[in-house]
Amino acid sequence: MATETSFFSKLEARVAEVNSLLCIGLDPHSKEILSADESSKATPQEKCDAAFTFCKTIIDATLPYAACYKPNAAFFEALGDNGATTLVRV
């Protein structure tokens, strides 16, 4: 029988690993991921891809320092049908 590590055990290990309590919020606001002109022309999938790239860039830049990340579900829900899939990708 496989044992799963709890969220809090994983968090505790990560806090110890990076010696930090920093939690990074991931809020892909539409005005930050595409310009107004780009946003008006972008397909829903392009908007989702831009949100993913925005979050991934933040994660890559802060990985050595962050204990955890908190994606804001509302920003992903605003992306429409593919928003939930994008949230899972992040």
Side-chain angles (χ1 to χ4, degrees), residues 10-61:
K10 290 177 185 179
L11 179 59
E12 187 176 75
R14 179 66 183 165
V15 165
E17 179 185 345
V18 296
N19 191 30
S20 172
L21 296 173
L22 181 64
C23 177
I24 305 289
L26 300 173
D27 305 329
H29 192 280
S30 61
K31 293 179 182 178
E32 294 176 353
I33 62 174
L34 294 170
S35 71
D37 186 51
E38 290 171 323
S39 186
S40 67
K41 297 176 185 175
T43 66
Q45 187 57 52
E46 289 170 334
K47 291 177 183 179
C48 288
D49 290 343
F52 174 80
T53 300
F54 175 84
C55 292
K56 182 74 169 93
T57 300
I58 291 171
I59 292 168
D60 290 345

Side-chain angles (χ1 to χ4, degrees), residues 54-88:
F54 175 84
C55 292
K56 182 74 169 93
T57 300
I58 291 171
I59 292 168
D60 290 345
T62 61
L63 192 58
Y65 317 104
C68 59
Y69 296 88
K70 187 215 165 281
N72 187 329
F75 286 95
F76 293 91
E77 291 168 2
L79 294 170
D81 294 339
N82 292 330
T85 304
T86 303
L87 175 57
V88 171

